[in-house]
Amino acid sequence: MANTPKLTLLTLFGLVLEDANPAERATLLSALPAPVCDIWHVIGRPRYARHISRVRAV
């Protein structure tokens, strides 16, 4: 993971969250440090949404 680009990690985190049930999702998000959680919401989540819509051709 150390060699994985940070933006790619955000996309992978989106995949994990999508597959998680609500309790798992809450646990994962609550375990993130506040700055990382902010980065997820501001950069990661929109980036993941754009990526997955291209992949699924939605």
Side-chain angles (χ1 to χ4, degrees):
M1 283 185 41
N3 295 328
T4 305
K6 302 297 186 238
L7 291 175
T8 301
L9 289 174
L10 288 172
T11 302
L12 294 173
F13 189 63
L15 287 167
V16 169
L17 289 176
E18 183 177 340
D19 197 42
N21 66 43
E24 293 168 334
R25 194 174 304 115
T27 299
L28 287 167
L29 290 172
S30 70
L32 293 177
V36 176
C37 191
D38 292 343
I39 290 169
W40 165 250
H41 287 291
V42 172
I43 298 169
R45 189 167 52 180
R47 179 180 170 82
Y48 177 72
R50 285 190 307 272
H51 171 78
I52 207 66
S53 70
R54 285 191 310 265
V55 167
R56 295 182 180 153
V58 175

